[in-house]
Amino acid sequence: MAPVAVFQAAFLLAWLPLSTYQSQAVLSEPLSLSVHVNLTEQSLKIEWSVHNLTHPELQMAFQIEISRINKSNVIWVENYTTTAQQNQTLRRMWKSELPLECATHFVRIRGKDEDPRMLQRRVWSSWSSWVKAEAQSLLGPEPLLVFPKEKQVEEGSDVTLCYVSRHPQSHVVCKLNGILVPGEQLDPHVSVVTLRSISFVSKTGSNFFCEEDRNHTQPGLAIFVTKVLEEPKGFSCETRDLKTLNCTWDPGSNIDSWKFPCQRYTLFESFSGGKKSCKDKHWCSWQVDSQETYNFTLQAENCFRKRNVTLLFQLAHRVHPMTPFKVALKSVSATNAILTWTVHPLRNNFTLLCQVELHSEGRVVQQHNVSTWGNGQYSFRGLAPATEYTARVRCAAAQHFWKWSKWANQEEFSTPQAAPSTAPDVWRSVRPTLGSCNVTLFWKPLSRAQAHGKIQFYTVATERLHTPSSSQLFPIPAPANGTELSLDGCSHRIRVTASNGAGTSPASVMVIAGDLGDPWNPGNQTAEVKEERAQGTGDGVSMSWKPPPGDVLGYVVEWCDGPRESPCDLRWESLGPNATSTVIKSDAFRPGVKYNFRIYGISPERMAYLLERKTGYSQELAPADNPRVTVNNLTSHSFTLSWEDYAADAQPGFIRGYRVHLRSQAEQCLPGFTKALLPDNTACCKHDIDNPEQKTFLVKNLQPESFYEFLVTPHTRAGEGPAQAFTNVITTRDQHPRVLIRILLPMVFPLLFLTILCYVKSQWIKETCFPDIPDPYKSSVLSLLKPKESPHPSIMSVRDCVPDALEVVNKAARRSLAEVECPKHDYLHLLPTGSSAGPGPGICFENLTYNQAAPGAGPCGPSPGQGGLLAAPGGLLRSPSYVNSPGGPPAEEAPLNYVSQVAPPTSGHEDSPPTPLLELAPRSEYRTQMAVPPGLASPSPEEKSHLCAVSLPDAGGHGR
């Protein structure tokens, strides 16, 4: 057994390498590859074949690589799987974006076994040799070439172009429709231009060219841009005769290139597998057989893409019958007519629904549906006599409605005349005269539906109420719409009829009884009815009324189509017995014009009587003008506005009130006024008057002597009067200040005169009334006051003294205030005559101006003691200025000089050195100069140092 096992192992080892070699030998077998250049389509056609296959058919995978310019620059790789046969030539097409003339391309291929029956390892074979595809050798001798020569692209796509220049140093510029486009150099001789998202310009294409600066050649090409293929819209199929299907659609905005037409439509039917190429891009026909259900697919395609739409339907649901024919009318009478027609035959018992219409005066008056499967007819009833009509018919499938057929040719016909069916609408105007009545009759023409033919004449019959046999007939030819009658008395019955070629209408009857008069004239019975307002509706006037307590046959509303000033064009409207309101409309109504209406009731005896009077506008307008306002009772705080002469009835609307506008410098409005804006956006204050009868207004709470502006505007339902210019008014002065001024003014001038006079005479008054030295006898004012005699006089009078001599004791030079240690009192001793031993009574002069150091001291100290101020016994210091000489005038006649009260005290001797004068203070005070009684004690030594005395010499020293 061992040798056998060894032999088997040796056989297997020898067979495995052989089988592996055979398998790998098949896969490594070189593929025969060839490449063909198609410059028209700018594509490479790649062909190869596989030899020595192990099976007749084998599933294989191939990988194709394409390089550009050089072999290492691979630009495209494709894996392709197919079933290969022995010695079969396989093909693939590759389209190049770059024109093949601009670069050299290289192609190689390899393959591997992908068949599931093969158990060997699946590996790629070795690559085939590179096959060169070159088109540059086909180029001409031109110095500059542009490729491709023609190009068709889809709108919005990118386009790659190139140009080849024989001179690398030359400068080339390219343009698309005159716009410069940049390029990218591919090698020294070739440059590439890429156009992004190219747009559709025209069917003739876009122009692209390049220009070289060396020889100025301009080669180029035309680029044809097609619209993006749209999906067909509205795809539908129908049949007219159940024999042929007609399918239609809307191709949209698909625009095919005239240079490269490639747009086409194809119809596929899935149940039958049929296919039909459509010659037109809007419709296509399909022959019908016994098939009842269809599933169509419409395919639209061009050079770049395809679009599909589908449609599934039942044939019986898409029947669109053909137009009926042989339409005719028969048995036409005044009110009836019969219409007949014929339809195109369809399958047996296929029911159609036909629609008939009857038109008159441009509108449909009758419409009916009739079911039929052959010839059809319909009878029109209720037609109007003497009327023109038009009849037409169309049909559709009755069971499964799809579409109506077209209308058949219209048939026109007219019905014959008939007697008028309605009595004329008649009204009257009565003007009584002495013993008779003038009656004007009016009637409205009958409508076509009422006249039933052309009216030839009207007949008016009158008869007295109490003698019916006495009637009269008045034929009036058409087209008259009224007549005038002069009747004997005012109690008549009037009948009016209309006649045509076929007969006479019913009579319209009215009764005239009593002296009714003309309601438009003043002073008649209509003045007893109060006039009320009616509401306008824009195109008419709306009004209502209260029904009378008795029975009525109807109502009549009467008015004139024009203003009251113009001649009356009488109009009326007749209403039924149940009407209590109406809207009167007339083409003659104009906005802003007032119309007057009268409402009459018709009694069962056919007599008319006035119920109510109305006035109104069809459309109110804003007032045309404002009232002319006058200002009355102007005061400092108010004024009155008046517009009594404003004609409110003449306005184009009912005056509902007035608005007073007021402007002033104050920001706040007066009480009763509110803020408002005028049409020009200026602010003012307003006050509304809701009573249209009020035509005066009091403006109060004003400021005196203030400026105000006012404007009064009326307003209607439509708006306010025009914004005209304001009127100015100025309030008067206040009366109370004026009275005060009248009282105070006479007082002010005298006071002012006295003040000025006092100011001018101030120095004189001061010197006269308030001298610097208070000498009563130098004051003309005080001199008038004579002192009373008293046993103890307080004021010295020199004339009352009988001195022998007067001596000024202290008379020294002025000293400054600083040099005065203390102020002292000056005494004037009166020297007695006779044998009096002691000094007589003296007068003390006290100046408190400089005695501020001792304010609490008494007014004057006692007079100095005997000999206190005398120079030597028996003798006194004398002054020639103040003492009478022996030969001089008497002492009592000599003037008495006073030592200045501001003089400082002296030493008491005339030989003493003079003391400097005191500086005067700004203000001086003086105490009352008192007489010193004789019995006063002498001052103490301490007080002597503060006293300044003036003594008089004794009698022995001086004669009188």
Side-chain angles (χ1 to χ4, degrees):
M1 294 295 294
V4 175
V6 172
F7 176 77
Q8 291 178 349
F11 177 77
L12 290 173
L13 292 174
W15 181 79
L16 285 175
L18 180 61
S19 63
T20 302
Y21 168 77
Q22 291 178 351
S23 175
Q24 292 181 356
V26 171
L27 293 177
S28 60
E29 181 82 18
L31 302 176
S32 57
L33 176 65
S34 62
V35 179
H36 305 279
V37 178
N38 188 344
L39 296 180
T40 303
E41 298 182 0
Q42 291 294 319
S43 62
L44 295 180
K45 182 179 181 181
I46 305 171
E47 296 180 347
W48 71 95
S49 60
V50 181
H51 308 288
N52 301 326
L53 295 178
T54 57
H55 294 82
E57 290 184 353
L58 196 64
Q59 189 77 17
M60 295 189 67
F62 300 95
Q63 190 174 64
I64 304 172
E65 283 188 353
I66 298 178
S67 300
R68 179 176 292 164
I69 300 177
N70 53 67
K71 298 176 182 179
S72 61
N73 182 26
V74 177
I75 61 171
W76 186 74
V77 177
E78 180 187 16
N79 293 318
Y80 172 64
T81 301
T82 186
T83 300
Q85 298 178 0
Q86 186 72 26
N87 297 327
Q88 178 187 6
T89 301
L90 302 176
R91 298 179 178 84
R92 292 293 290 168
M93 294 290 295
W94 177 77
K95 266 190 119 169
S96 175
E97 295 181 359
L98 180 69
L100 297 176
E101 295 91 342
C102 297
T104 302
H105 293 78
F106 301 91
V107 181
R108 69 177 181 175
I109 190 172
R110 65 179 178 176
K112 69 176 179 178
D113 179 14
E114 290 287 342
D115 199 301
R117 296 173 297 176
M118 303 300 293
L119 299 178
Q120 67 269 21
R121 183 168 55 91
R122 299 174 181 177
V123 296
W124 288 105
S125 68
S126 58
W127 288 100
S128 67
S129 301
W130 288 100
V131 176
K132 183 178 182 181
E134 185 177 12
Q136 291 184 343
S137 59
L138 303 176
L139 302 180
E142 290 83 358
L144 181 63
L145 299 171
V146 178
F147 299 103
K149 295 300 182 183
E150 290 179 335
K151 186 71 174 180
Q152 182 181 17
V153 296
E154 189 178 46
E155 185 180 25
S157 60
D158 299 339
V159 181
T160 302
L161 310 173
C162 70
Y163 61 87
V164 179
S165 176
R166 303 297 187 183
H167 307 283
Q169 293 80 14
S170 61
H171 179 67
V172 180
V173 175
C174 297
K175 295 182 180 180
L176 176 66
N177 294 327
I179 300 175
L180 184 67
V181 292
E184 181 182 357
Q185 192 171 16
L186 194 63
D187 63 25
H189 296 276
V190 179
S191 294
V192 177
V193 177
T194 302
L195 305 178
R196 304 289 182 183
S197 300
I198 193 167
S199 59
F200 175 84
V201 177
S202 66
K203 290 184 178 181
T204 58
S206 300
N207 295 322
F208 177 85
F209 66 93
C210 297
E211 182 178 5
E212 189 178 24
D213 58 354
R214 183 181 296 270
N215 48 26
H216 301 288
T217 58
Q218 293 183 344
L221 72 152
I223 303 174
F224 297 95
V225 182
T226 62
K227 290 282 188 179
V228 178
L229 184 66
E230 295 183 8
E231 185 178 276
K233 302 177 183 63
F235 179 45
S236 175
C237 297
E238 63 184 19
T239 179
R240 306 295 302 271
D241 53 5
L242 296 177
K243 296 179 181 179
T244 304
L245 277 170
N246 295 319
C247 298
T248 58
W249 62 88
D250 179 14
S253 60
N254 295 333
I255 299 177
D256 203 4
S257 171
W258 67 273
K259 183 69 175 180
F260 303 99
C262 59
Q263 186 174 332
R264 55 187 175 272
Y265 292 87
T266 307
L267 196 61
F268 299 90
E269 206 286 307
S270 60
F271 294 137
S272 62
K275 172 185 176 182
K276 184 176 183 179
S277 296
C278 303
K279 297 180 179 179
D280 193 274
K281 64 177 182 178
H282 295 89
W283 65 274
C284 193
S285 62
W286 188 276
Q287 293 299 316
V288 174
D289 49 17
S290 59
Q291 186 177 339
E292 294 293 334
T293 304
Y294 292 86
N295 186 12
F296 283 112
T297 298
L298 177 64
Q299 184 182 81
E301 62 178 324
N302 60 9
C303 301
F304 304 99
R305 64 183 71 221
K306 297 179 181 180
R307 300 283 191 181
N308 296 327
V309 291
T310 59
L311 179 64
L312 176 65
F313 62 91
Q314 295 286 335
L315 180 65
H317 297 179
R318 297 299 178 100
V319 178
H320 184 194
M322 289 186 286
T323 304
F325 60 101
K326 293 184 179 181
V327 180
L329 284 160
K330 62 181 182 179
S331 303
V332 178
S333 65
T335 57
N336 300 319
I338 297 176
L339 178 68
T340 61
W341 65 91
T342 303
V343 296
H344 293 273
L346 296 173
R347 293 179 181 176
N348 295 333
N349 299 326
F350 192 89
T351 305
L352 294 177
L353 179 68
C354 296
Q355 185 180 75
V356 293
E357 282 185 354
L358 188 65
H359 292 249
S360 178
E361 298 179 352
R363 61 185 181 88
V364 178
V365 295
Q366 292 188 27
Q367 187 181 73
H368 307 278
N369 292 332
V370 181
S371 297
T372 182
W373 51 85
N375 297 334
Q377 72 173 22
Y378 184 79
S379 177
F380 295 108
R381 301 182 183 276
L383 305 181
T387 305
E388 295 180 355
Y389 291 98
T390 301
R392 63 180 184 174
V393 62
R394 62 181 179 178
C395 297
Q399 187 175 1
H400 303 287
F401 180 83
W402 170 243
K403 288 181 181 179
W404 288 110
S405 68
K406 292 183 179 181
W407 289 103
N409 294 331
Q410 298 181 353
E411 290 294 324
E412 297 180 356
F413 67 99
S414 298
T415 55
Q417 292 186 4
S421 60
T422 306
D425 187 0
V426 182
W427 190 237
R428 85 292 177 276
S429 174
V430 180
R431 295 188 304 276
T433 60
L434 183 61
S436 63
C437 279
N438 293 328
V439 180
T440 303
L441 293 178
F442 306 92
W443 57 81
K444 296 179 182 179
L446 296 177
S447 65
R448 180 177 297 180
Q450 297 170 342
H452 296 172
K454 184 179 180 181
I455 300 298
Q456 297 178 352
F457 61 90
Y458 296 90
T459 302
V460 178
T462 63
E463 61 181 8
R464 286 179 175 270
L465 292 179
H466 306 293
T467 56
S469 60
S470 59
S471 62
Q472 291 180 332
L473 296 177
F474 301 95
I476 300 171
N481 58 358
T483 187
E484 291 188 5
L485 301 175
S486 180
L487 304 177
D488 185 11
C490 290
S491 297
H492 288 78
R493 179 180 288 107
I494 301 175
R495 302 172 184 270
V496 180
T497 58
S499 302
N500 61 9
T504 302
S505 70
S508 178
V509 182
M510 67 174 54
V511 175
I512 299 174
D515 188 6
L516 295 179
D518 189 354
W520 294 103
N521 294 330
N524 55 31
Q525 67 174 18
T526 60
E528 301 175 0
V529 181
K530 185 179 179 181
E531 187 176 73
E532 299 177 355
R533 290 184 178 182
Q535 185 69 39
T537 60
D539 59 346
V541 181
S542 175
M543 61 191 69
S544 62
W545 58 89
K546 295 180 180 179
D551 295 334
V552 293
L553 298 180
Y555 299 93
V556 174
V557 180
E558 174 188 81
W559 74 94
C560 290
D561 265 353
R564 298 185 62 175
E565 300 79 13
S566 60
C568 178
D569 184 11
L570 185 64
R571 293 288 182 268
W572 74 96
E573 183 172 331
S574 300
L575 303 171
N578 297 323
T580 57
S581 63
T582 187
V583 177
I584 303 298
K585 297 182 179 181
S586 174
D587 294 337
F589 284 166
R590 296 292 179 265
V593 178
K594 183 187 290 186
Y595 298 94
N596 297 314
F597 302 87
R598 284 159 174 77
I599 303 172
Y600 293 87
I602 307 300
S603 68
E605 293 79 16
R606 304 284 182 175
M607 290 187 296
Y609 52 92
L610 181 65
L611 294 178
E612 295 183 13
R613 298 172 63 204
K614 302 286 185 179
T615 182
Y617 302 82
S618 63
Q619 181 180 352
E620 292 188 47
L621 300 179
D625 55 358
N626 295 329
R628 299 181 62 182
V629 183
T630 59
V631 180
N632 301 320
N633 303 328
L634 178 62
T635 66
S636 59
H637 295 282
S638 66
F639 57 84
T640 301
L641 302 178
S642 176
W643 55 96
E644 296 289 347
D645 58 346
Y646 184 64
D649 293 339
Q651 298 303 313
F654 292 118
I655 299 299
R656 298 175 179 265
Y658 299 92
R659 179 166 294 170
V660 180
H661 302 269
L662 188 67
R663 289 194 304 207
S664 65
Q665 296 179 352
E667 296 181 358
Q668 297 295 330
C669 291
L670 298 176
F673 285 78
T674 57
K675 287 284 188 181
L677 284 178
L678 296 174
D680 57 355
N681 292 328
T682 58
C684 70
C685 299
K686 69 173 183 176
H687 176 80
D688 291 331
I689 301 175
D690 297 330
N691 182 11
E693 301 300 327
Q694 178 182 343
K695 295 185 179 180
T696 60
F697 180 72
L698 176 61
V699 183
K700 55 186 178 179
N701 299 318
L702 306 178
Q703 297 296 324
E705 296 184 287
S706 298
F707 178 81
Y708 293 93
E709 294 178 295
F710 69 86
L711 174 66
V712 178
T713 58
H715 61 87
T716 65
R717 185 184 180 187
E720 194 174 349
Q724 296 176 345
F726 279 61
T727 303
N728 305 331
V729 63
I730 301 177
T731 55
T732 60
R733 295 181 179 179
D734 200 349
Q735 298 297 325
H736 300 292
R738 183 174 298 179
V739 173
L740 293 176
I741 290 174
R742 290 178 180 177
I743 296 173
L744 295 177
L745 192 60
M747 301 174 62
V748 168
F749 284 106
L751 291 176
L752 182 62
F753 176 75
L754 290 176
T755 303
I756 296 173
L757 183 61
C758 290
Y759 177 78
V760 173
K761 297 295 184 177
S762 60
Q763 187 65 29
W764 177 83
I765 293 173
K766 179 179 178 183
E767 293 177 356
T768 304
C769 299
F770 306 101
D772 291 337
I773 300 176
D775 187 353
Y777 297 99
K778 289 185 178 181
S779 173
S780 60
V781 177
L782 295 178
S783 64
L784 299 177
L785 301 176
K786 293 183 178 181
K788 294 180 180 180
E789 295 183 359
S790 175
H792 303 287
S794 60
I795 300 177
M796 184 192 72
S797 175
V798 179
R799 294 183 181 273
D800 296 336
C801 299
V802 189
D804 292 337
L806 179 65
E807 180 182 4
V808 177
V809 177
N810 291 330
K811 183 178 181 182
R814 291 185 178 181
R815 292 184 300 171
S816 64
L817 182 63
E819 295 174 351
V820 180
E821 295 180 357
C822 65
K824 296 190 179 178
H825 304 291
D826 293 336
Y827 290 87
L828 179 64
H829 292 274
L830 299 179
L831 302 180
T833 61
S835 59
S836 179
I843 297 176
C844 174
F845 297 91
E846 182 182 10
N847 188 348
L848 293 182
T849 305
Y850 307 104
N851 193 18
Q852 299 176 2
C860 284
S863 62
Q866 293 180 355
L869 294 176
L870 297 176
L876 293 173
L877 293 176
R878 304 175 183 270
S879 175
S881 303
Y882 300 98
V883 182
N884 294 332
S885 64
E892 61 271 14
E893 297 178 2
L896 179 64
N897 276 341
Y898 288 89
V899 178
S900 173
Q901 296 180 11
V902 298
T906 62
S907 63
H909 195 275
E910 62 181 357
D911 296 331
S912 300
T915 305
L917 294 176
L918 291 174
E919 295 294 331
L920 294 179
R923 180 175 57 89
S924 298
E925 288 188 3
Y926 296 90
R927 293 285 184 91
T928 305
Q929 299 168 0
M930 304 294 295
V932 182
L936 287 177
S938 300
S940 63
E942 291 82 3
E943 294 175 347
K944 290 180 180 180
S945 62
H946 300 284
L947 297 176
C948 297
V950 177
S951 62
L952 294 175
D954 55 7
H958 220 287
R960 191 175 178 189

